[in-house]
Amino acid sequence: MKKEKIKECNVIIAGVGGQGVILMSELLGNVAMRDGLNVRGSEVLGMAVRGGSVSSTIRIGDHISAPLVATGTCDILVGLEPSEALRHISFLAPSGVVILNTETVIPFMVTIGMSGYPGLKEITEKLAAASGRLITLDAVELAREAGSHLAANIVMLGALLGTGLLPVQVESVKKEIEVHFSPKLIPVNFRALDFGYRAVNN
Amino acid sequence: METNRLKELARLTVTSDAPGERMFMLGNEAIARGAIEAGVQVAAAYPGTPSSEIMETLAEVAAKSGMYAEWSVNEKVAFEVALAASLCGVRAMTSMKHVGLNVAHDSVMTANYIGVKGGLLLVVADDPWMWSSQNEQDSRYVAEQAYMPVLEPSSIQEAKDMVVSAFELSEQFKHPFMLRSVTRIGHGRSDVRLGEIRRERVPGVFEKDPMRLVVVPAVARRNRVLMLERFERIKQAVSNLPYNELKLGKTARLGIIACGLSYSYALEAIDYLELGGKVSVLKIGTPHPLPEELIKKLLESVDEALVVEELEPFVETHVKAIAQEADIRVKIHGKNLIPKVGELSTRQVAEALAKLTNHESIAGFSRADEVARDVASLLPLRPPALCPGCPHRASNYLIGVVSRKVARQYGEGIQPIYPGDIGCYTLAVNPPLNAVDSCICMGGGFGVASGLAHVIKAPIVAHLGDSTFFHSGIPPLINAVYNKANITMVVLDNSATAMTGFQPHPGTGRTATGEEAPLLKIEDIAKACGVEFVEVIDPLDLKKAADTLERAIRFEGPAVVVSRSICAILGQREKRRKGEEIVPYRVLKEKCSDRCDACISLLGCPAIMREDSKAMIDSATCPGCGLCAQICPYKAIVQE
């Protein structure tokens, strides 16, 4: 079934260096472009490898021009790490959807006692109150079930598609995975995509 | 899309001869693609965020693109390499970050006097909000001072297209051009439509022309007059470039003048406030020199104008001057409504427009601010950290321990001072290492130490990285020798320009394009510069390294210690490539004391965590450097 195209779709992917934020946005951007859409995005790369916060913006639509999402206009916030999703809460539109991986990554500043880390319940309550819908899933566990914990970002990509809010076809994403990954990694990533999709779409 | 067609598209690369096809590109890749389309024959750069990927992309494809590409030792040399090629009739490009332009400034100022032959483009990446920089300087001022015309893209597509145009213009006017990028261009992503690739290659020919190229006063005086004439002709031409575009609203009383990427935010802010057709918009793609006629046309048609640009009021100041000169009495707004600090987004422009159009304050923004305030205290600090296994952690830990020990003998309460520099090791400023007391600019660590030595009685232990040493660490080292500064200079040699993506440098024995090169040893250079105490340590051999470092700090006069250990990330890559096993360390719970905490509280390694009041090492991220095992007083950390 062909989904109705929307004028503008703003996605923010928030996580920690090493979680695959950038790969996710590359896949998504390529898929949207090949589905004939305009894509704009941006990320802060410099510190990514060193365990700092990493976030990436992907905007899809006919009339978009800016690389950044305006405050209060993010349609989908994908949180690969709970506190990093919380860090981007002010970008959410009141009707926005949050997709949250519940596995936390505790920064070393918390380990050495220089900073606190909120409870997961507190994070989800805040995100739920600021958005139209909050979806939580244990993407790392689902990725393990799919065959590799490294595919958690693909689980989250599946979940993102499962919302039905993106103006891209699931088949296009599968094809993109086929051309992007080496043949032996394709089945794991297909399963991961499917697990994420079904975690939301059920 | 058909699978075969998709596979064909997925195979597109930055060098593909596929005009009209679209690629999803990083802005810096698009700029590199522009250079390939323009038929650039020489590219030289020094890495710096957010510009590094331009040269990385070019270096990778240089051989098959008929291009010579190099990582130069610093931006000044990079510019000179490109300038030389251009003087020989060859198209040449150099790229750098904004503070790199300061290093190149000397050559840039005179290159414009002599002009060029083959097209010469200087790509400068400004960094609004200082995502990875020490200041927020606006390169357009340097360009103005140097009479260097600037193209400033409003999108990634335009960034690529402007590179191609810049080479045509540079050759047409025999004058160097600048492309001003910003973080959200270079590190933005967008679909980009590819253009034709220019295949023409010209042999370099150096024509002796001392009356132009040797800038003794008589020549310089003549050159200056010729340069001003050239610039006047360029000024006439820019108004007609498609990158400047005026759209007058039929009934508009408000005009927006938006420069570069700010144009995209202005367009979206107009949409956000539903002001389409009610305002006039002038898009500026050439902030220097400005399209004066278009500016006058806009100002004459409105009652009020708003200039939208990132960082300084560069365009704004000039627009005000143009209005004054033409006697156009219009209120011109700019930095009174648009923030000077940080990067712009649709929000800041919408807020400024709302004020000028008597919109109420924007409810969506205030609601979002309330939400942000509500969670602010919950957010954990997550600064970037030295990686698990990073040798800089060991070096900075050692410098702290040893220099504090020596400082005690200087007297009660005397603290050692640690002048630092630009690179991964700046992250050692964070607790628990607290090992950086100043960080100003590339090479500044040794320079500041040289000065401190003449006013402070305490151990002064400066550090900078291997790439930084070659970039600008050698002159201050020589200065310390010449002026007898009693300091210790530690070069943290991890065999890479790690912070910007592991680019090679003269100490690595290979070039940008992967060829073997003479390997310059830092210790040899230090000895040749007249340093009497020069030693090499392995920072991960703590005891031995501490002993050497202590002798260096106690040495009367300048001492150099090269702390050599490969970057942890590169080291792991190398091991994987060779099929060697990476063996992490682990904590023996029965030996670990719950009253100790030394490994956690002294090292701040992200791989060490707390579990039931004891230490625990994450085997997935520990690369097995063994630093923690060496400082554990209970011998509770062992390699598996």
Side-chain angles (χ1 to χ4, degrees):
Chain A
M1 189 185 71
K2 199 170 165 73
K3 288 194 191 75
E4 196 184 318
K5 280 192 180 174
I6 51 174
K7 193 180 155 225
E8 179 180 316
C9 184
N10 293 320
V11 181
I12 293 178
I13 307 167
V16 178
Q19 285 191 314
V21 170
I22 306 302
L23 174 65
M24 229 181 125
S25 47
E26 272 178 357
L27 286 172
L28 195 55
N30 268 307
V31 169
M33 179 187 73
R34 288 184 188 142
D35 275 2
L37 301 158
N38 291 321
V39 195
R40 297 285 180 276
S42 177
E43 59 222 23
V44 172
L45 291 166
M47 302 287 180
V49 76
R50 286 147 198 100
S53 305
V54 177
S55 71
S56 173
T57 299
I58 287 284
R59 310 183 63 217
I60 303 168
D62 296 331
H63 298 288
I64 50 162
S65 22
L68 297 172
V69 172
T71 311
T73 65
C74 172
D75 301 300
I76 314 174
L77 171 60
V78 182
L80 291 180
E81 202 283 334
S83 70
E84 292 308 314
L86 194 64
R87 209 181 291 281
H88 292 82
I89 195 168
S90 65
F91 286 96
L92 275 168
S95 61
V97 175
V98 181
I99 311 169
L100 190 70
N101 171 27
T102 51
E103 186 164 296
T104 59
V105 179
I106 305 294
F108 82 97
M109 290 297 265
V110 175
T111 308
I112 63 171
M114 305 278 296
S115 172
Y117 191 98
L120 188 59
K121 188 161 169 282
E122 200 168 6
I123 294 176
T124 53
E125 277 171 6
K126 297 286 183 195
L127 288 170
S131 65
R133 183 183 173 200
L134 169 71
I135 301 161
T136 59
L137 65 160
D138 187 339
V140 179
E141 188 49 40
L142 288 172
R144 255 186 221 114
E145 280 171 35
S148 167
H149 69 281
L150 294 174
N153 57 342
I154 304 298
V155 172
M156 293 300 280
L157 184 59
L160 178 56
L161 293 168
T163 61
L165 294 170
L166 276 184
V168 299
Q169 310 288 316
V170 179
E171 275 315 301
S172 312
V173 177
K174 287 194 163 177
K175 284 184 178 170
E176 193 61 37
I177 286 177
E178 266 179 339
V179 295
H180 187 90
F181 288 97
S182 67
K184 67 172 187 181
L185 291 177
I186 292 170
V188 175
N189 283 294
F190 272 4
R191 276 197 298 277
L193 190 77
D194 188 47
F195 287 178
Y197 187 92
R198 281 193 291 165
V200 173
N201 209 266
N202 276 347
Chain B
M1 191 180 282
E2 287 302 313
T3 307
N4 283 345
R5 167 80 175 134
L6 187 76
K7 284 192 174 153
E8 186 188 316
L9 290 180
R11 272 196 296 270
L12 285 180
T13 69
V14 74
T15 54
S16 293
D17 192 2
E21 295 290 7
R22 290 195 306 159
M23 270 182 79
F24 186 58
M25 291 178 125
L26 189 70
N28 280 340
E29 287 167 358
I31 290 171
R33 167 72 189 190
I36 292 163
E37 288 182 7
V40 164
Q41 283 176 249
V42 170
Y46 183 81
T49 314
S51 74
S52 314
E53 297 84 1
I54 301 170
M55 187 63 193
E56 286 194 322
T57 306
L58 291 177
E60 211 164 288
V61 301
K64 68 171 167 181
S65 304
M67 183 188 293
Y68 168 75
E70 74 167 43
W71 285 121
S72 309
V73 290
N74 65 32
E75 294 85 353
K76 180 175 183 288
V77 177
F79 181 81
E80 287 154 2
V81 167
L83 173 66
S86 144
L87 290 176
C88 296
V90 163
R91 287 192 170 185
M93 187 168 101
T94 177
S95 47
M96 57 194 66
K97 70 181 295 176
H98 60 335
V99 285
L101 180 58
N102 300 340
V103 178
H105 200 159
D106 202 0
S107 330
V108 167
M109 284 304 296
T110 303
N112 299 280
Y113 275 50
I114 62 178
V116 304
K117 194 169 163 198
L120 177 61
L121 178 63
L122 165 60
V123 180
V124 179
D126 283 0
D127 189 15
W129 197 227
M130 300 165 272
W131 290 103
S132 338
S133 304
Q134 65 268 42
N135 73 29
E136 213 172 26
Q137 69 188 50
D138 189 325
S139 297
R140 296 175 300 177
Y141 285 107
V142 177
E144 181 181 31
Q145 190 194 21
Y147 287 90
M148 190 182 262
V150 182
L151 299 177
E152 189 174 343
S154 67
S155 67
I156 289 170
Q157 176 76 52
E158 209 171 59
K160 177 192 79 67
D161 297 343
M162 278 181 167
V163 170
V164 179
S165 300
F167 278 100
E168 283 158 13
L169 289 162
S170 175
E171 264 168 27
Q172 183 190 341
F173 292 101
K174 304 271 176 253
H175 199 79
F177 271 63
M178 178 189 287
L179 180 84
R180 184 210 191 195
S181 176
V182 290
T183 302
R184 300 296 177 178
I185 290 283
H187 286 175
R189 289 185 191 271
S190 162
D191 53 302
V192 174
R193 198 168 290 282
L194 305 181
E196 305 263 355
I197 294 177
R198 185 182 194 257
R199 297 286 173 195
E200 189 192 335
R201 294 289 180 271
V202 296
V205 177
F206 183 79
E207 285 170 33
K208 289 182 190 273
D209 186 4
M211 287 308 285
R212 183 167 70 95
L213 300 181
V214 182
V215 291
V216 292
V219 173
R221 286 177 199 129
R222 185 173 151 265
N223 279 352
R224 178 157 164 83
V225 173
L226 291 173
M227 174 194 68
L228 292 173
E229 284 170 10
R230 276 200 304 275
F231 197 76
E232 208 45 47
R233 287 199 297 278
I234 293 169
K235 210 168 170 182
Q236 301 301 321
V238 295
S239 274
N240 302 325
L241 289 177
Y243 305 121
N244 298 311
E245 192 184 4
L246 176 61
K247 279 189 195 141
L248 292 175
K250 271 196 186 124
T251 58
R253 302 316 308 157
L254 173 65
I256 300 172
I257 300 174
C259 182
L261 188 59
S262 304
Y263 176 69
S264 74
Y265 302 127
L267 286 186
E268 297 208 352
I270 291 167
D271 270 357
Y272 192 94
L273 296 175
E274 296 173 350
L275 290 171
K278 295 177 201 154
V279 290
S280 293
V281 183
L282 172 58
K283 170 181 180 291
I284 301 279
T286 61
H288 179 65
L290 282 165
E292 285 189 14
E293 292 312 311
L294 292 178
I295 289 169
K296 282 188 219 160
K297 211 164 160 185
L298 173 90
L299 294 179
E300 276 162 357
S301 74
V302 294
D303 300 329
E304 254 181 322
L306 172 69
V307 180
V308 186
E309 61 192 318
E310 285 188 311
L311 302 183
E312 306 297 332
F314 180 85
V315 172
E316 179 188 339
T317 309
H318 286 278
V319 166
K320 284 175 175 166
I322 290 166
Q324 207 269 345
E325 187 89 2
D327 201 18
I328 305 169
R329 292 168 194 211
V330 173
K331 177 71 191 160
I332 297 164
H333 300 275
K335 293 295 167 183
N336 57 331
L337 296 173
I338 300 279
K340 234 185 200 180
V341 178
E343 56 187 7
L344 294 184
S345 76
T346 302
R347 174 184 184 158
Q348 281 94 350
V349 185
E351 282 174 336
L353 284 179
K355 279 186 194 141
L356 293 174
T357 53
N358 299 317
H359 266 74
E360 306 217 342
S361 67
I362 302 166
F365 295 158
S366 19
R367 188 195 56 84
D369 286 346
E370 223 165 275
V371 172
R373 267 195 300 276
D374 179 44
V375 306
S377 64
L378 295 176
L379 298 175
L381 298 175
R382 201 188 291 275
L386 293 172
C387 304
C390 175
H392 298 331
R393 177 176 293 103
S395 298
N396 280 297
Y397 168 75
L398 266 176
I399 291 171
V401 171
V402 176
S403 55
R404 279 193 298 270
K405 179 181 163 194
V406 179
R408 280 195 287 273
Q409 288 158 18
Y410 277 70
E412 192 67 28
I414 298 286
Q415 291 282 329
I417 306 177
Y418 316 117
D421 215 287
I422 307 275
C424 288
Y425 38 84
T426 320
L427 298 176
V429 67
N430 288 324
L433 292 170
N434 305 309
V436 187
D437 287 327
S438 72
C439 169
I440 314 290
C441 62
M442 293 287 284
F446 287 179
V448 166
S450 260
L452 286 172
H454 302 296
V455 285
I456 297 289
K457 285 261 170 293
I460 295 160
V461 187
H463 64 267
L464 46 72
D466 41 352
S467 189
T468 306
F469 177 79
F470 290 107
H471 177 282
S472 47
I474 299 170
L477 181 138
I478 293 173
N479 187 69
V481 172
Y482 173 53
N483 290 305
K484 294 178 263 181
N486 186 16
I487 57 175
T488 307
M489 293 170 276
V490 183
V491 183
L492 306 173
D493 181 4
N494 63 352
S495 300
T497 319
M499 193 63 159
T500 48
F502 319 109
Q503 294 83 3
H505 59 68
T508 61
R510 64 196 163 88
T511 67
T513 46
E515 285 163 38
E516 268 190 45
L519 193 154
L520 276 68
K521 285 194 168 168
I522 295 163
E523 55 273 29
D524 292 350
I525 293 172
K527 280 178 202 155
C529 289
V531 181
E532 285 171 23
F533 186 106
V534 181
E535 298 254 2
V536 180
I537 60 171
D538 172 2
L540 293 171
D541 183 353
L542 272 189
K543 218 168 163 297
K544 210 168 149 199
D547 173 64
T548 309
L549 193 61
E550 186 172 337
R551 283 190 289 113
I553 297 171
R554 289 187 189 283
F555 183 78
E556 277 298 321
V560 166
V561 175
V562 181
S563 185
R564 181 168 291 143
S565 181
I566 192 168
C567 162
I569 295 177
L570 287 183
Q572 288 174 79
R573 278 187 197 166
E574 210 158 280
K575 278 190 175 167
R576 282 196 202 99
R577 195 171 48 80
K578 289 184 189 158
E580 286 173 25
E581 207 187 342
I582 294 163
V583 189
Y585 279 73
R586 70 189 168 93
V587 177
L588 302 171
K589 289 277 167 187
E590 65 279 11
K591 282 194 169 182
C592 177
S593 161
D594 53 10
R595 289 184 305 276
C596 171
D597 221 28
C599 55
I600 291 172
S601 62
L602 297 177
L603 302 179
C605 173
I608 310 179
M609 293 162 214
R610 202 175 277 114
E611 193 180 58
D612 311 326
S613 77
K614 295 195 175 186
M616 188 271 284
I617 295 173
D618 175 23
S619 61
T621 50
C622 169
C625 79
L627 177 64
C628 53
Q630 292 179 63
I631 69 152
C632 175
Y634 296 93
K635 307 271 172 261
I637 302 176
V638 295
Q639 203 160 19
E640 284 184 12

